[in-house]
Amino acid sequence: MNIAHLKLFTRIAATHNISLAGKELGLSAAVASAHINKLEETLGTKLLYRTTRKVSLTEEGLAFLPHAESVLESIEGAKAAIGAGSHTPQGTLRITAPASFGRMHIVPALAEFTQLYPDLNIDLRLSDTIVDMVEGGFDIAIRNAALSDSTLVASKLASDTRILCASPEYIATHGLPSSPQTLHAHPTINLTGIEHWVFANAEGNIKFRPSNGLQIDNGEAIRDACIRGMGITLCSMWCAYQALQEGKLVQVLKDSPLVNDTALWAVYPNSRLLAPKVRVFIDYLKAYIGDVPYWE
């Protein structure tokens, strides 16, 4: 059985895209398709369903995948035991991340990462819309939402701590709310998709529905509007920390902390044979974020 065919099959299982998997391995779409046909002929069974949009594994393909991964892992282990082969990440790493977090933290992290791995090309797509990793052919997604797709694996990067903020100018003009219940008297700036601000309380959580102010679909824009005194906002610490340090923003209602059940995750396809380029990026990003204590 051809090892190159097995490697191609496992990458197709991860990307659900024959052309993309072939490109990673230096193969044209036609050659990659021919290799998979040959593997199916060798096994005497159909491994993939092919459509114009994406590729999915048949029942036989799903059953065969862990065995293919095990064979490849054994081969890599054997090479490593005698010092053969190269484990240097190569090819293209395709990443999708939220726009604000990507600009503020992924791009700076890539500055050193690309120097450490010069043979690795980066394709970074920034969007506040949660994209389909399979259809987009992404290797990894950075998300701060709960994982709903059981075919993916989520590795926690950091807690997504959120606080309420206002500018000193706003406070000088409008004063501070004394409790979550008095927020109704203040204009708010809310991130699209967040229906309630939930405050921890010994007698039960308090829910506030922001409805009297701005609604914006970008975290940096919300922070900047708050700096300009346009209202009180809920903001993640990874977005607001610099403005807080510089005195452009002030934390509001410190004695009524928000219920924080969100986190930042690195999400990738569910495969025991994780591509080296994905593994090194996740490890690097965890170390990079771990050096920034104000995120927690």
Side-chain angles (χ1 to χ4, degrees):
M1 191 174 296
N2 193 307
I3 299 304
H5 295 175
L6 292 182
K7 186 175 294 186
L8 173 63
F9 171 68
T10 61
R11 290 308 299 151
I12 292 173
T15 64
H16 291 246
N17 188 306
I18 293 177
S19 297
L20 183 61
K23 186 177 180 180
E24 289 183 4
L25 300 174
L27 305 173
S28 68
V31 172
S33 184
H35 283 356
I36 289 300
N37 290 338
K38 183 63 177 178
L39 179 60
E40 290 178 329
E41 290 175 9
T42 301
L43 294 172
T45 189
K46 189 177 182 64
L47 299 174
L48 304 173
Y49 292 119
R50 299 169 174 86
T51 69
T52 55
R53 297 189 65 187
K54 66 179 181 180
V55 174
S56 59
L57 270 62
T58 63
E59 183 177 349
E60 292 77 14
L62 289 169
F64 181 65
L65 178 61
H67 298 287
E69 291 175 331
S70 179
V71 169
L72 293 173
E73 286 176 344
S74 296
I75 291 172
E76 290 302 315
K79 286 182 178 180
I82 60 173
S86 171
H87 295 276
T88 302
Q90 296 177 346
T92 298
L93 178 65
R94 301 193 74 238
I95 308 165
T96 177
S100 295
F101 186 80
R103 282 192 296 266
M104 292 186 66
H105 300 291
I106 300 298
V107 171
L110 288 175
E112 182 183 8
F113 182 78
T114 52
Q115 293 180 1
L116 292 173
Y117 302 100
D119 295 330
L120 189 59
N121 299 316
I122 306 296
D123 183 354
L124 174 63
R125 308 294 177 92
L126 301 179
S127 173
D128 287 324
T129 300
I130 296 180
V131 301
D132 187 311
M133 286 191 66
V134 172
E135 284 196 14
F138 290 103
D139 297 292
I140 185 169
I142 308 302
R143 292 179 178 168
N144 59 350
L147 182 63
S148 58
D149 190 340
S150 61
T151 67
L152 302 175
V153 177
S155 180
K156 185 177 178 180
L157 298 174
S159 297
D160 184 13
T161 303
R162 299 177 178 183
I163 63 172
L164 290 193
C165 300
S167 70
E169 291 77 14
Y170 175 88
I171 295 171
T173 303
H174 301 277
L176 286 169
S178 58
S179 68
Q181 292 86 344
T182 61
L183 278 170
H184 291 286
H186 293 263
T188 57
I189 312 165
N190 190 47
L191 182 66
T192 302
I194 296 181
E195 296 185 357
H196 295 93
W197 299 353
V198 184
F199 297 87
N201 186 279
E203 299 176 0
N205 293 342
I206 300 171
K207 286 187 175 182
F208 166 74
R209 186 180 182 90
S211 58
N212 56 336
L214 283 174
Q215 182 165 285
I216 308 177
D217 66 352
N218 179 272
E220 287 176 290
I222 283 175
R223 177 202 61 202
D224 293 347
C226 190
I227 290 173
R228 286 167 173 77
M230 299 174 71
I232 295 174
T233 194
L234 179 153
C235 198
S236 294
M237 282 294 288
W238 58 258
C239 186
Y241 76 96
Q242 288 177 323
L244 290 166
Q245 291 174 347
E246 295 167 1
K248 295 178 180 178
L249 289 178
V250 176
Q251 185 175 353
V252 174
L253 291 177
K254 287 185 179 181
D255 295 331
S256 299
L258 289 158
V259 174
N260 282 304
D261 57 358
T262 58
L264 293 160
W265 303 88
V267 179
Y268 52 92
N270 186 3
S271 172
R272 290 192 302 123
L273 193 65
L274 190 61
K277 62 183 180 181
V278 176
R279 188 183 306 279
V280 296
F281 182 71
I282 292 175
D283 291 344
Y284 177 83
L285 201 55
K286 282 185 176 180
Y288 180 87
I289 291 177
D291 289 336
V292 191
Y294 48 74
W295 287 4
E296 294 291 344

